[in-house]
Amino acid sequence: MSSLKITGQNTSSNEIIQRIIEITNASISSEYADLINGKVIQKKINENLTYSELYNSEENFWSLLFETGYVTLAGPYNENGYMLLRLPNEEVKRLFISSSKNWFRSSIRKENLTELFNAIWTDNSGKLAELLSDYLFRTISYHDYSEEYYHAFLAGLFSASEYTIKSNMETGEGRSDILIMDTDNKRMAIFEFKIIHDLKELDSAMQKAVGQISSRRYGEEFSSYFQEIHKTAIVFFKKRAYCKKLFIKGMDFY
């Protein structure tokens, strides 16, 4: 096997992953997710690549990652150029995760989140579920849709706003997953989410999230200051979100 050589201008290896994600707008996110989750992917590697060609095609992206050591062989070399690839170590895995988070935050900051927060403040659970699902389809999944993944997703999404965001803050008799505080308008939103791996679990998971918000009295200690307290239970199934509103400061919807 001859080694891949890139000729021309040097490329900062620390910026490669971030730049590729930005250029492709995460369109190759499924391959990124597979690698992060320890899986093997098959890609064609171009062994004669110049700097000017680096970002011209998806094939060249993987060739660049291979040449710089961000992916490595996971099987024997194939003469036609198609190779089995994997991440070489935990350090690179963390770099992939960090880069995907940075890309998501950066892309969200460029968007108008008015519609999203309108859905939150007007208790439009159907619209909120639709918008969250849209954003989920654009993210790069990792840890096989674990709690950490969804928590980072919500925190990253909401933190792009002008509001104060609290994560795992102690409230009532427990810790809610995410709090949004709009001190200017004396209103706040509380979110509790659950994860399911089968849609048959949707109803029971939603009831559990709703019950947790109610039984632990999330937001009760803020009722003397905030005029509106919006509470939402969310159930995540892969890249779908399902939402249920509870009440606005004492007005029960459940």
Side-chain angles (χ1 to χ4, degrees):
M1 169 180 153
S2 58
S3 60
L4 172 69
K5 299 295 183 182
I6 296 179
T7 59
Q9 182 179 346
N10 291 330
T11 302
S12 172
S13 57
N14 290 334
E15 299 174 359
I16 289 174
I17 297 177
Q18 178 75 27
R19 187 172 178 188
I20 289 176
I21 294 175
E22 291 172 354
I23 290 175
T24 61
N25 199 28
S27 63
I28 52 177
S29 60
S30 60
E31 285 91 351
Y32 273 86
D34 285 344
L35 288 170
I36 290 171
N37 291 321
K39 298 177 182 178
V40 172
I41 64 172
Q42 180 174 277
K43 290 293 174 182
K44 187 172 184 178
I45 298 301
N46 184 349
E47 297 184 89
N48 297 290
L49 196 60
T50 63
Y51 180 81
S52 62
E53 299 172 324
L54 292 183
Y55 304 103
N56 288 346
S57 70
E58 181 181 330
E59 179 181 306
N60 291 352
F61 300 154
W62 295 109
S63 300
L64 175 59
L65 290 175
F66 179 69
E67 194 278 339
T68 51
Y70 284 120
V71 293
T72 189
L73 286 177
Y77 173 68
N78 189 316
E79 291 296 334
N80 66 13
Y82 284 93
M83 304 181 195
L84 296 177
L85 303 171
R86 61 174 174 80
L87 296 185
N89 52 50
E90 188 66 25
E91 181 181 359
V92 174
K93 174 182 175 179
R94 289 196 298 269
L95 181 58
F96 267 63
I97 293 174
S98 174
S99 297
S100 65
K101 287 180 179 179
N102 290 338
W103 167 81
F104 180 66
R105 292 192 185 102
S106 177
S107 64
I108 291 301
R109 288 191 188 101
K110 299 174 184 176
E111 295 195 11
N112 187 339
L113 298 178
T114 300
E115 191 176 18
L116 175 69
F117 283 98
N118 278 344
I120 292 173
W121 301 129
T122 61
D123 297 285
N124 189 337
S125 57
K127 188 63 176 179
L128 179 59
E130 175 188 328
L131 292 170
L132 290 178
S133 297
D134 287 344
Y135 284 119
L136 277 169
F137 272 97
R138 293 163 46 192
T139 64
I140 295 175
S141 315
Y142 51 90
H143 295 314
D144 290 321
Y145 301 108
S146 68
E147 182 176 351
E148 179 184 350
Y149 164 67
Y150 291 110
H151 199 280
F153 163 74
L154 286 177
L157 180 62
F158 295 149
S159 65
S161 71
E162 71 274 20
Y163 304 120
T164 300
I165 310 301
K166 300 291 185 180
S167 180
N168 281 326
M169 181 176 179
E170 190 168 332
T171 173
E173 297 178 354
R175 290 180 179 272
S176 58
D177 289 311
I178 301 284
L179 289 182
I180 302 175
M181 296 183 177
D182 178 6
T183 54
D184 290 342
N185 296 295
K186 294 187 184 305
R187 59 188 179 181
M188 71 180 297
I190 298 174
F191 298 88
E192 178 67 30
F193 70 83
K194 301 298 178 185
I195 304 163
I196 60 174
H197 303 287
D198 190 316
L199 278 176
K200 295 177 181 178
E201 305 167 359
L202 177 58
D203 289 342
S204 60
M206 187 66 76
Q207 290 175 11
K208 185 175 181 180
V210 168
Q212 189 167 320
I213 293 174
S214 299
S215 64
R216 298 184 182 180
R217 304 201 297 269
Y218 287 165
E220 188 174 275
E221 70 274 32
F222 297 104
S223 60
S224 61
Y225 176 79
F226 289 101
Q227 296 174 357
E228 297 179 14
I229 299 179
H230 303 252
K231 302 183 182 182
T232 304
I234 305 175
V235 175
F236 289 114
F237 173 65
K238 296 183 178 179
K239 287 187 177 287
R240 299 295 305 178
Y242 302 85
C243 301
K244 185 178 183 66
K245 288 286 184 178
L246 274 73
F247 57 79
I248 307 177
K249 195 175 181 179
M251 244 189 350
D252 242 325
F253 283 101
Y254 176 63

